[in-house]
Amino acid sequence: MIPLALAASSDSEAPFVTRLAGSEGNGAGDSRCIASSSEESLWSGPHGLLRIEHPREAVSGDVVLVRPAEGRLDRLLRSGSRHNSLLVTEQCDQLCVMCSQPPKKTHDDRFDLLRDACLLADAGMTIGITGGEPTLHRERLLDMIEDVLAARPDLSFHVLTNAQHFRREDVFRLRRPEYVKVVWGVPLYSADPLTHDRIVGKIGAYERLIDGFAHLMLAGARIELRTVLTRTTVDGIVDLADMVARDLAHVEQWSLMGLENIGFARNRWSELHVDLRDGFEPVGHALDVATLRGVRARLFNVPLCHVPEPFRHAAVASISDWKQRFGEACSTCRARSACSGFFEWHPPALLEEVTPL
Ligand code: SF4
């Protein structure tokens, strides 16, 4: 697993963002490496000296948030990685049965620091925004996105949201040209309102989500639908495919996502998990229904050898590099580079249940 938090100390007392720009960095916000060994590196920048308990090569190019009071830094944007996400809040107004990041009641507003980080990102980077529910802080979020894209039109955002906090009056704002660079990743778990509400732990969530889709559609927003595959969602997946193809055919993609064994799902694994090696038929049917009716449908977080051959073209190597893991038997597999593999926290006993291709 790639470490995202590192021990660090600094001259500064307040948290700050900087880009670890190697030895030649001289842009505003850059820190320059002035010494490095196999165990630590010393950096100099606008906030003074920064000592990191990690060698220079491993972090060079990263944009980091330094938190001196806690003696650590967070690698917010790792240079060269396709998997960079910023957690903007841990608050959420849902309580999904499979939530991988259980919510907290408090909110630590870091939007200004996160905006500074985005401004230092590698050229052309897509930055993920996650929570909690980011749009609980809708004004702060939209201000940050607009500020960043005004200064850095080369960047783009992918925002995970339950889409229930957009209002009619947001439509005009979301039509602004910057939002062409923003994709909204929106979970939808069932065509049946009560089932969706039960999964997300919120009465009325489905109805509010449908209103949210209407606002996003009126704004011409780019939408990726997301459905986590659990026993309940797989039971209704063909009906959901029909609804998506009928009512939401404008979405850019419908992503069917393998379950993560973390957060609330860890204690409910046996109740929620579907082994797609035995239970793929309804998922394959749903992929066919969507595809035949013009909706791009993809499978995320599912190892290629767990997917029947005719559907492997739809499986994306989607698990982020820092939390991706393979079984020992995978070392002989010719499809490994195209395979999602497993999450780092996948049940170890299941890691070797693979069939090298
Ligand atoms: S054997 Fe491993 S690398 Fe190959 S498809 Fe299966 S999980 Fe992926």
Side-chain angles (χ1 to χ4, degrees):
M1 191 149 125
I2 298 171
L4 299 184
L6 303 173
S9 54
S10 159
D11 285 347
S12 172
E13 289 179 7
F16 66 92
V17 164
T18 186
R19 188 170 75 100
L20 305 173
S23 52
E24 52 299 313
N26 54 11
D30 282 357
S31 291
R32 203 162 48 84
C33 186
I34 53 177
S36 181
S37 69
S38 58
E39 283 167 8
E40 61 176 35
S41 49
L42 187 64
W43 304 75
S44 170
H47 302 274
L49 290 177
L50 167 66
R51 191 177 67 80
I52 304 175
E53 292 183 21
H54 226 59
R56 164 190 160 169
E57 295 71 31
V59 293
S60 196
D62 288 1
V63 177
V64 298
L65 169 59
V66 183
R67 305 204 275 188
E70 293 158 58
R72 64 177 263 186
L73 63 75
D74 296 332
R75 301 167 73 187
L76 294 180
L77 303 173
R78 285 176 302 114
S79 185
S81 172
R82 292 186 300 112
H83 305 283
N84 286 302
S85 286
L86 303 177
L87 178 79
V88 298
T89 184
E90 293 184 86
Q91 289 178 320
C92 190
D93 57 333
Q94 299 193 145
L95 212 53
C96 300
V97 293
M98 75 301 252
C99 179
S100 59
Q101 173 100 28
K104 292 186 180 163
K105 290 209 165 82
T106 53
H107 172 65
D108 173 20
D109 189 319
R110 309 188 304 168
F111 278 103
D112 293 339
L113 289 163
L114 299 179
R115 182 197 55 218
D116 292 348
C118 295
L119 294 174
L120 295 171
D122 284 354
M125 185 179 274
T126 296
I127 300 170
I129 301 289
T130 69
E133 173 48 47
T135 61
L136 287 177
H137 305 277
R138 194 171 93 263
E139 279 298 316
R140 295 283 281 148
L141 173 71
L142 298 184
D143 285 349
M144 181 186 82
I145 288 173
E146 290 164 13
D147 285 354
V148 171
L149 292 177
R152 292 288 309 273
D154 59 302
L155 301 178
S156 48
F157 287 98
H158 181 280
V159 185
L160 285 177
T161 172
N162 65 27
Q164 294 168 34
H165 300 279
F166 295 115
R167 302 181 193 147
R168 185 74 173 82
E169 53 267 33
D170 292 324
V171 170
F172 187 68
R173 185 173 186 178
L174 294 174
R175 278 189 190 149
R176 290 171 53 158
E178 300 94 292
Y179 287 98
V180 146
K181 306 298 294 292
V182 180
V183 173
W184 305 94
V186 182
L188 173 63
Y189 295 125
S190 176
D192 172 51
L194 287 179
T195 304
H196 178 87
D197 287 3
R198 220 169 20 242
I199 290 171
V200 302
K202 179 177 167 186
I203 295 167
Y206 182 92
E207 203 173 321
R208 291 190 62 167
L209 172 56
I210 296 301
D211 286 347
F213 280 137
H215 301 323
L216 288 171
M217 275 187 242
L218 279 171
R222 302 173 61 193
I223 300 173
E224 177 209 12
L225 281 182
R226 296 189 149 208
T227 305
V228 176
L229 298 171
T230 66
R231 290 191 187 194
T232 307
T233 61
V234 168
D235 279 349
I237 203 76
V238 178
D239 288 343
L240 183 56
D242 188 52
M243 177 204 168
V244 169
R246 187 185 61 235
D247 300 334
L248 297 167
H250 66 287
V251 299
E252 289 200 357
Q253 180 165 297
W254 181 28
S255 304
L256 306 182
M257 321 204 44
L259 182 68
E260 280 191 64
N261 180 37
I262 196 168
F264 290 153
R266 188 184 284 273
N267 288 333
R268 297 176 173 148
W269 182 255
S270 56
E271 166 198 337
L272 297 173
H273 179 243
V274 180
D275 188 336
L276 291 178
R277 290 171 300 171
D278 305 323
F280 197 84
E281 198 263 330
V283 175
H285 190 174
L287 287 169
D288 281 343
V289 167
T291 306
L292 288 170
R293 291 164 69 182
V295 175
R296 177 184 158 95
R298 292 290 180 268
L299 266 178
F300 278 28
N301 312 343
V302 182
L304 272 179
C305 60
H306 289 200
V307 179
E309 200 280 328
F311 294 97
R312 282 187 195 144
H313 68 278
V316 179
S318 52
I319 295 182
S320 303
D321 52 1
W322 64 270
K323 56 181 178 178
Q324 186 185 39
R325 180 174 191 183
F326 289 93
E328 278 180 28
C330 297
S331 58
T332 61
C333 180
R334 286 175 300 165
R336 182 170 161 145
S337 62
C339 178
S340 132
F342 299 92
F343 288 101
E344 176 69 29
W345 31 81
H346 201 70
L350 303 180
L351 270 184
E352 296 305 327
E353 294 191 3
V354 295
T355 312
L357 303 175

